[in-house]
Amino acid sequence: MFGEKVIELLKESERNRETLDQYNDEKIRQIIEEMHVLFKLNMNDANATTENKSLWTTVQVRHSALERNKRCLLAYLYNRMNKIKILRWEFGSVLPPDIRELLSDAEYDWFSKYSTNLATYMRSLGQDIGYNGIDLTENLRPPKSLNIEVLCLVDYGKLELEDGDVIMLKKNSTHFLPTSECQTLIRQGILKQIT
Amino acid sequence: MANNYLSISDILVSNEKVPCRFLHDLPKLGFLDPSCTEEDLKAGTSVEIPLWLAESLSSRRPPLVAVDLPKVYKETYREIFNADACTVDLHKLAQYFFELGCYVAKYDIKGEVATTLVNTFRQRFKMILSASVSTDSINALQPLSSSERDRTASAMASEKALSTWLKRGDSLLTTANMVANHRKRKRAEMEML
């Protein structure tokens, strides 16, 4: 039957709507191969229709299958692209190595370009009123207090604060930090706010 | 959303099988019919083919296939749905009951499928709505079709969002969604090893 491999591919990504999967190189290669075969068969039969009129039906069936495969592959790539966009907003411009290896080379290129575009845009914001850039990935909620108490969830290492103090972020240590300094770390799951 | 070219859920819907009758001979395509032993498919054979193929072949001029209704949309099942739609296990019967229904309704000349779809949706939506505002009764529902599960999830999410909003945004800063999920999955993989 036509187009079954491509459905497996899509089911895989439908199951994990919230996370990104490994880019499935092998399966995509197989699907494109299947499309090449279909195309060749169609080409031969289309040339032969002059002698054998009844072949046109077969050509049409194969043509629908080709279009279907194309649609599914495009949908797969498009949905991954949307997830990669979210990666930029949630993980920041530098991806952790385990996330980085889920992307194909072309996708990583796209990520870098998107990241640069976004950074350029954010730098350009507010220049007319004297700011040099606003980081849109910060301050998603209006801050309620200047300092908050946080619990460190991983061994992160040293963190230098804006006033020059250096603190050591160790697992299970608690700190009382300025909200503006730790919200990115909270978004990245390194710190957790406790009341 | 529903007819979007790039929507994965729409692609999965159009992968559902519908019964069709071929109106022309199809040379070399005997493999479409599992019970056929010859190389060619003869006109008049009835085969279950995926909806995407059926849609594209029946819209050609002249059409290559005549599409028939899948059995859940036939008279017998319609009677069940009209009697009490809430007791039907849509998860087992038809994962994409409503979406597939929208596609095949046009092949039903009398238009009864469309009425059944609307009635079924109305009855079941009421049930889902009242169940999703109180989280504990959600498991007591009959298994839902896949779009109904999405609808329940978003009903619960917006219920939660409302109660956060009522607290006037006075809530803790949290980890970003995808970061948290990736971490959960990684932990599960580590535990498996």
Side-chain angles (χ1 to χ4, degrees):
Chain A
M1 199 45 133
F2 308 119
E4 274 180 354
K5 283 205 187 73
V6 88
I7 287 297
E8 288 167 30
L9 193 69
L10 289 180
K11 277 198 179 141
E12 218 170 79
S13 73
E14 175 78 356
R15 266 197 298 273
N16 292 318
R17 280 193 210 172
E18 304 287 316
T19 54
L20 194 68
D21 281 307
Q22 178 78 49
Y23 181 74
N24 203 332
D25 235 341
E26 176 59 21
K27 200 159 265 167
I28 289 186
R29 206 183 45 75
Q30 288 173 2
I31 293 161
I32 291 179
E33 219 158 77
E34 181 189 316
M35 288 173 75
H36 275 302
V37 172
L38 281 174
F39 185 76
K40 282 222 184 75
L41 286 172
N42 244 9
M43 187 106 107
N44 289 339
D45 284 347
N47 288 334
T49 37
T50 35
E51 297 117 56
N52 187 354
K53 277 274 187 294
S54 65
L55 274 175
W56 70 273
T57 47
T58 308
V59 172
Q60 299 230 346
V61 173
R62 289 206 198 105
H63 184 70
S64 307
L66 271 174
E67 280 182 338
R68 169 76 174 176
N69 271 340
K70 177 182 158 196
R71 177 185 173 189
C72 294
L73 281 181
L74 284 176
Y76 177 72
L77 292 176
Y78 176 75
N79 280 280
R80 282 182 67 87
M81 190 189 82
N82 279 339
K83 284 184 188 167
I84 294 169
K85 218 184 259 183
I86 300 176
L87 288 182
R88 170 63 185 88
W89 286 83
E90 300 196 346
F91 281 91
S93 58
V94 182
L95 292 180
D98 57 322
I99 305 289
R100 159 75 181 87
E101 67 191 24
L102 298 175
L103 272 59
S104 75
D105 289 345
E107 283 173 332
Y108 191 69
D109 273 354
W110 187 87
F111 175 83
S112 318
K113 276 184 199 145
Y114 181 72
S115 181
T116 322
N117 271 345
L118 187 66
T120 318
Y121 174 65
M122 292 196 296
R123 248 199 320 279
S124 74
L125 284 175
Q127 265 171 356
D128 46 340
I129 49 169
Y131 285 107
N132 44 0
I134 297 169
D135 189 350
L136 294 176
T137 62
E138 273 179 10
N139 287 319
L140 296 179
R141 295 224 184 93
K144 291 281 164 185
S145 53
L146 280 178
N147 290 293
I148 50 173
E149 202 168 346
V150 289
L151 172 73
C152 187
L153 299 173
V154 286
D155 282 317
Y156 181 73
K158 281 180 188 156
L159 175 74
E160 189 173 343
L161 301 178
E162 258 166 33
D163 58 8
D165 281 356
V166 178
I167 52 159
M168 192 65 188
L169 291 180
K170 267 166 99 182
K171 196 173 177 178
N172 292 331
S173 59
T174 58
H175 306 270
F176 192 62
L177 296 175
T179 314
S180 59
E181 308 243 5
C182 52
Q183 39 183 336
T184 317
L185 292 172
I186 292 177
R187 292 265 302 158
Q188 290 171 354
I190 291 160
L191 299 176
K192 185 185 164 199
Q193 187 183 3
I194 43 180
T195 37
Chain B
M1 187 64 194
N3 272 320
N4 192 338
Y5 185 76
L6 294 170
S7 143
I8 290 191
S9 49
D10 186 51
I11 290 180
L12 292 180
V13 172
S14 55
N15 199 46
E16 294 286 296
K17 298 258 168 80
V18 288
C20 282
R21 199 163 43 81
F22 280 96
L23 304 172
H24 292 271
D25 284 347
L26 291 172
K28 301 183 193 174
L29 289 180
F31 65 90
L32 284 179
D33 180 7
S35 65
C36 174
T37 47
E38 286 163 56
E39 201 179 305
D40 302 350
L41 201 66
K42 290 271 169 294
T45 353
S46 293
V47 191
E48 291 220 321
I49 56 174
L51 179 72
W52 57 266
L53 191 58
E55 283 262 300
S56 99
L57 293 184
S58 69
S59 62
R60 312 258 163 181
R61 289 281 160 267
L64 282 175
V65 293
V67 183
D68 197 9
L69 290 176
K71 73 172 195 303
V72 271
Y73 304 101
K74 289 261 172 74
E75 186 78 49
T76 22
Y77 279 94
R78 281 212 301 271
E79 272 170 18
I80 301 176
F81 282 117
N82 289 337
D84 188 0
C86 297
T87 54
V88 183
D89 179 350
L90 271 191
H91 180 72
K92 214 185 259 168
L93 201 60
Q95 271 283 331
Y96 303 104
F97 180 76
F98 299 109
E99 294 85 344
L100 187 61
C102 292
Y103 277 109
V104 298
K106 61 173 174 285
Y107 301 113
D108 173 41
I109 310 150
K110 284 185 218 150
E112 279 169 11
V113 172
T115 344
T116 314
L117 283 175
V118 174
N119 280 338
T120 314
F121 183 81
R122 212 175 269 156
Q123 290 184 38
R124 290 180 69 97
F125 186 73
K126 218 183 270 171
M127 163 182 89
I128 292 173
L129 188 70
S130 60
S132 44
V133 284
S134 58
T135 34
D136 54 311
S137 58
I138 204 78
N139 295 322
L141 289 184
Q142 275 295 323
L144 304 169
S145 87
S146 84
S147 66
E148 286 174 330
R149 255 177 287 137
D150 289 349
R151 221 169 286 131
T152 320
S154 48
M156 272 150 71
S158 58
E159 185 69 22
K160 214 170 141 195
L162 175 69
S163 63
T164 331
W165 180 79
L166 287 176
K167 282 190 228 150
R168 299 269 160 192
D170 189 23
S171 55
L172 300 181
L173 298 169
T174 49
T175 311
N177 216 349
M178 211 184 239
V179 179
N181 282 318
H182 266 286
R183 195 151 296 159
K184 267 184 226 156
R185 202 171 68 165
K186 213 166 102 189
R187 197 178 305 143
E189 276 165 14
M190 298 275 269
E191 275 163 13
M192 268 196 322
L193 291 172

